[in-house]
């Protein structure tokens, strides 16, 4: 983001605009809606601008620009019809540390004006950093349809109601949650169209209905394999209203961004072989935060019920009588299979597929190697990168085919996804030579369907 959107307070402030032709008129159309004192400098002005002057929307000094005009203003618009003049004004203003906008000269601009949907006090500003005005226009028109003209009045009404809500809830987080429930993102279009009376009643009813002691809860949420495309709508909804988000190492920032800015984010990642938060400590955090009355989201990569130590967390919650819910997610094996276009089960070939872990509490995980070595056996191995030589050895001892297809999918669904198609005999070597560090799934008995399927993915190597 090169341009930072900010909403500047214009009350009691002066804004200078130089120019009175079409360029100035375009800028003034927005500026006249603000509370600023507008100072217009120009030897002549167009009809529309003249009317605005007559209506008292700005003061007009009928002359050319001089440097002293830059005194005591907060923003400057160089909007004459002459590019050289605008560039000169922009340079002078910049020298003084003023924010300046020069018409049609992006490089000379300290700020650019976004497309606006004005439903004061609700303002939506849309910018494309000058890349695509037509896209900005399309977005603007969509926003205009979303926001009815009454939404400004609704915002003012909410402002009044906030005082009632504030009296009822001491903590900021509780108040935010109250409002998040009122506008929970479901059918936003309809919610923005409720009348002030309906909103009044809804808030009053909700205030009356809130129990004196708010009950906290924990929702175990599957964040999927990484891409935010693979997040469920349910996960999005609870992230949006969570007070506390307790998350793992493999949860990507894109997904955390669905949480509120004000939520508390607690990282409890476990790095293989590195520093980690003990499971007991995680359980304690969940219990404690829920007991404080917070809506806690426990965000786990993939599906929370697959190699996620969910039982230990759920047991702790049950022991302490804390309400919980579970929102499933797309597990890494499913994403890996999708990436290579391989059906995990196939009629007439395998009637089952095993999801294995390469590691367990004791080290390399022991498995029913005999069954896994059978010709039609198929498996997806989680946490298998470090254990690949061990897995290979066990399978070969139990008679597995050395040429059995194995596909490694690292960072499935993410931008840095890598697919390596190999064989059982070459598995550890392929991992080493391709520098696979994980997170990765080893798909035992699966080859990529065809190059066309995986072509759109990045980093493909067959
Ligand atoms: N609950 C998770 C698994 C957690 S165990 C799930 O359902 O997916 C962590 C292991 O998951 C990693 O070591 C790796 O084997 C696998 N994994 C998680 N995200 C992955 C991804 N984007 N690509 C490949 N493997 C992934």
């Amino acid at each position: 983001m090169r341009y930072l959107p900010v909403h500047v307070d214009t009350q009691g402030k002066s804004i200078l605009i130089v120019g009175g032709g079409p360029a100035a008129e375009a800028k003034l159309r927005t500026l006249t809606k603000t509370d600023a004192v507008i100072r217009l400098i120009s030897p002549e002005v167009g009809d529309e601008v003249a009317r605005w002057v007559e209506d008292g929307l700005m003061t007009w000094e009928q002359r050319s620009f001089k440097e002293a005009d830059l005194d005591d203003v907060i923003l400057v618009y160089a909007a004459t019809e002459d590019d050289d003049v605008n560039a000169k004004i922009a340079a002078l203003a910049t020298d003084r540390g003023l924010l300046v906008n020069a018409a049609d000269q992006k490089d000379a601009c300290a700020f650019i004006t976004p497309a606006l949907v004005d439903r004061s006090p609700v303002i939506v500003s849309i910018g494309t950093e000058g890349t695509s005005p037509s896209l900005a226009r399309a977005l603007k028109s969509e926003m205009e349809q979303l926001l009815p003209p009454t939404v400004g009045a609704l915002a003012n009404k909410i402002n009044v109601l906030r005082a009632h809500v504030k009296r009822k809830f001491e903590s900021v987080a509780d108040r935010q949650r109250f409002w998040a429930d009122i506008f929970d993102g479901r059918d936003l279009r309809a919610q923005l169209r409720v009348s002030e009376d309906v909103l009044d009643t809804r808030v009053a009813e909700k205030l009356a209905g809130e129990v004196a002691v708010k009950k906290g809860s924990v929702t175990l949420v599957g964040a999927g394999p990484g891409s935010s495309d693979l997040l469920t709508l349910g996960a999005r909804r609870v992230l949006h209203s969570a007070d506390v988000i307790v998350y793992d190492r493999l949860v990507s920032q894109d997904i955390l961004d669905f949480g509120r800015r004000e939520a508390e984010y607690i990282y409890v990642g476990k790095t293989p072989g590195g520093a980690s938060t003990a499971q007991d400590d995680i359980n304690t955090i969940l219990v404690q935060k829920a007991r404080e009355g917070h809506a806690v989201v426990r965000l786990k990569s993939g599906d929370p019920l697959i190699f996620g130590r969910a039982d230990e967390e759920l047991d702790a919650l049950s022991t302490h009588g804390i309400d919980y819910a579970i929102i499933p997610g797309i597990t890494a094996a499913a994403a890996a299979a999708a990436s290579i276009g391989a059906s995990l089960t196939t009629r007439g070939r395998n009637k089952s597929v095993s999801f294995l872990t390469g590691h367990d509490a004791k080290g390399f995980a022991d498995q029913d190697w005999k069954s896994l070595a059978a010709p039609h056996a198929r498996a997806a191995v989680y946490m298998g990168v470090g254990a690949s030589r061990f897995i290979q050895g066990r399978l070969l001892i139990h008679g597995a085919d050395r040429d059995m297809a194995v596909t490694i999918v690292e960072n499935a669904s993410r931008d840095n996804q890598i697919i390596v198609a190999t064989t059982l005999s070459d598995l550890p070597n392929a991992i080493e030579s391709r520098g696979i560090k994980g997170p990765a799934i080893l798909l035992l008995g699966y080859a990529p369907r065809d190059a066309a399927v995986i072509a759109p993915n990045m980093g493909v190597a067959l």
Side-chain angles (χ1 to χ4, degrees):
M1 184 163 66
R2 175 167 166 190
Y3 292 85
L4 172 74
V6 289
H7 291 207
V8 177
D9 186 1
T10 59
Q11 204 163 49
K13 305 283 186 341
S14 292
I15 295 180
L16 176 71
I17 176 154
V18 187
E25 187 181 317
K27 306 285 180 196
L28 282 165
R29 211 169 278 286
T30 307
L31 290 177
T32 48
K33 297 203 180 101
T34 69
D35 292 349
V37 175
I38 301 169
R39 289 184 51 203
L40 173 68
I41 311 285
S42 179
E44 52 198 345
V45 298
D47 291 348
E48 183 80 352
V49 176
R51 223 179 350 265
W52 288 332
V53 172
E54 237 165 70
D55 288 347
L57 297 180
M58 64 199 72
T59 61
W60 172 32
E61 292 169 57
Q62 189 167 13
R63 58 171 173 79
S64 302
F65 168 82
K66 54 180 192 291
E67 197 180 336
D69 293 331
L70 298 172
D71 293 346
D72 303 322
V73 296
I74 58 160
L75 292 178
V76 178
Y77 286 82
T80 70
E81 300 303 305
D82 182 332
D83 283 351
D84 292 340
V85 172
N86 290 343
K88 272 186 206 126
I89 297 170
L92 284 171
T94 305
D95 279 350
R96 289 191 176 210
L98 282 168
L99 288 177
V100 63
N101 175 285
D104 294 328
Q105 293 181 59
K106 198 169 155 228
D107 289 342
C109 286
F111 68 93
I112 49 182
T113 344
L116 287 179
V117 181
D118 178 12
R119 304 277 190 268
S120 287
V122 177
I123 314 282
V124 180
S125 58
I126 299 159
T128 59
E129 302 200 347
T131 54
S132 173
S134 55
L135 180 61
R137 269 194 297 277
L139 289 170
K140 177 176 154 148
S141 128
E142 191 67 18
M143 276 294 143
E144 273 167 344
Q145 286 168 38
L146 177 69
L147 298 175
T150 50
V151 81
L154 194 70
N156 285 325
K157 177 75 189 175
I158 291 170
N159 197 27
V160 173
L161 292 171
R162 278 172 72 200
H164 302 297
V165 176
K166 199 169 176 180
R167 253 179 266 130
K168 180 96 176 185
F169 299 104
E170 246 176 48
S171 97
V172 179
D174 286 350
R175 296 202 289 270
Q176 282 175 345
R177 188 135 72 94
F178 181 91
W179 287 110
D181 284 351
I182 295 254
F183 294 100
D184 65 1
R186 273 183 281 198
D187 201 2
L188 184 63
R189 197 168 281 274
Q191 287 177 14
L192 294 174
R193 283 164 174 74
V194 297
S195 70
E196 290 175 46
D197 287 349
V198 169
L199 183 72
D200 222 0
T201 317
R202 201 181 281 174
V203 168
E205 279 173 1
K206 193 165 161 53
L207 279 177
E210 289 280 330
V211 275
V213 181
K214 193 166 53 101
K215 240 177 134 199
S217 65
V218 176
T219 309
L220 260 61
V221 176
S227 160
S228 59
D229 266 6
L230 299 181
L231 199 64
T232 64
L233 292 175
R236 269 181 69 158
R237 181 172 50 77
V238 295
L239 277 173
H240 188 69
S241 61
D243 300 319
V244 181
I245 297 173
V246 182
Y247 66 100
D248 283 343
R249 184 175 66 95
L250 294 177
V251 173
S252 62
Q253 188 60 43
D254 282 4
I255 285 167
L256 289 174
D257 285 346
F258 286 108
R260 289 180 301 137
R261 250 189 316 189
E262 299 78 9
E264 183 183 0
Y265 293 81
I266 305 178
Y267 173 71
V268 293
K270 302 190 187 100
T271 318
S276 58
T277 312
Q279 187 62 49
D280 278 350
D281 294 341
I282 300 176
N283 299 350
T284 307
I285 292 170
L286 297 179
V287 169
Q288 204 175 323
K289 291 294 176 188
R291 277 198 161 157
E292 287 168 11
H294 296 303
V296 181
V297 161
R298 172 70 177 109
L299 196 55
K300 290 166 174 289
S301 77
D303 181 85
L305 305 183
I306 294 181
F307 302 128
R309 303 186 68 173
D311 279 330
E312 291 160 69
E313 295 176 9
L314 295 176
D315 285 348
L317 298 174
S318 308
T319 305
H320 292 89
I322 289 163
D323 291 346
Y324 65 79
I326 302 172
I327 297 181
I330 293 181
T331 191
S339 291
I340 66 164
S343 178
L344 284 171
T345 57
T346 296
R347 238 170 21 147
R349 183 191 67 194
N350 64 319
K351 299 196 184 85
S352 66
V353 52
S354 305
F355 286 7
L356 315 174
T357 174
H359 279 90
D360 64 12
K362 297 192 214 87
F364 293 152
D366 212 4
Q367 307 285 355
D368 179 357
W369 300 111
K370 194 165 179 307
S371 316
L372 290 167
H376 292 304
R378 294 290 182 272
V381 186
Y382 292 71
M383 293 171 274
V385 172
S388 67
R389 203 170 286 280
F390 170 78
I391 294 167
Q392 179 203 45
R394 290 295 137 126
L395 288 173
L396 290 176
I397 287 173
H398 288 84
D401 181 355
R402 298 178 61 79
D403 294 332
M404 174 172 99
V406 176
T407 305
I408 307 159
V409 185
E410 186 183 46
N411 287 307
S413 86
R414 298 173 186 243
D415 287 348
N416 53 348
Q417 169 175 288
I418 290 181
I419 295 170
V420 181
T422 181
T423 59
L424 184 59
S425 61
D426 206 35
L427 173 62
N429 179 35
I431 286 180
E432 202 183 310
S433 65
R434 292 303 312 273
I436 301 290
K437 300 270 183 303
I441 289 285
L442 314 180
L443 293 170
L444 305 184
Y446 297 97
R449 185 173 184 81
D450 58 42
V453 174
I454 57 171
N457 298 326
M458 269 147 270
V460 174
L462 295 177

